[in-house]
Amino acid sequence: MHIDSAELFVQIMERGNTEDNALAKDGTADESVWLDVIERFPHMKKWVFHNRNLPISILEKLSFDPDVGIRMSVAIKAKISRRSSRDFQWIKVQMCVEHWRTIPKSRDTC
């Protein structure tokens, strides 16, 4: 399935239908569609990175999202290019530092 627009992606995800969600997860879309989803429908960002065909450029964009949950999800996603691996390692370090700052000192795990 090809996702032609941000609106189509949002419709699919908001239906809540398991079959539709699987299509959104495996569907393809142009980079411009993903950028449109991220910009116009920020509440859908958490679903964008689940797509298996997502371009690395979109993962890179999401890796700098203000939402730590989005950044963490991107950092643990296995689809990382060699060119980006250093940046993703830095994101993981930053997330660990943020995590360390928010937990009691007796439970440091990073």
Side-chain angles (χ1 to χ4, degrees):
M1 171 187 184
H2 187 73
I3 302 165
D4 295 332
S5 67
E7 292 83 4
L8 176 60
F9 180 77
V10 171
Q11 285 175 349
I12 289 169
M13 295 311 298
E14 288 182 343
R15 281 186 217 150
N17 180 325
T18 306
E19 188 176 305
D20 284 344
N21 289 353
L23 290 172
K25 202 177 212 182
D26 293 324
T28 59
D30 295 335
E31 183 176 350
S32 61
V33 171
W34 295 123
L35 291 171
D36 199 22
V37 171
I38 292 166
E39 188 173 310
R40 292 183 35 225
F41 304 99
H43 65 288
M44 287 288 154
K45 286 188 280 192
K46 64 184 175 188
W47 299 112
V48 168
F49 65 81
H50 288 293
N51 183 277
R52 293 182 181 138
N53 298 304
L54 199 63
I56 291 290
S57 59
I58 300 301
L59 287 173
E60 288 173 342
K61 180 169 180 61
L62 290 173
S63 72
F64 293 99
D65 194 83
D67 183 335
V68 69
I70 298 292
R71 293 193 314 269
M72 183 170 57
S73 296
V74 171
I76 61 175
K77 191 167 177 104
K79 187 179 180 181
I80 298 174
S81 71
R82 288 178 193 230
R83 181 177 61 84
S84 303
S85 63
R86 185 183 51 169
D87 294 333
F88 279 96
Q89 289 302 324
W90 174 247
I91 291 162
K92 288 179 182 181
V93 168
Q94 290 298 94
M95 287 179 354
C96 189
V97 167
E98 276 188 45
H99 175 72
W100 179 77
R101 288 181 183 159
T102 61
I103 58 174
K105 296 297 180 208
S106 63
R107 295 172 46 169
D108 288 350
T109 57
C110 290

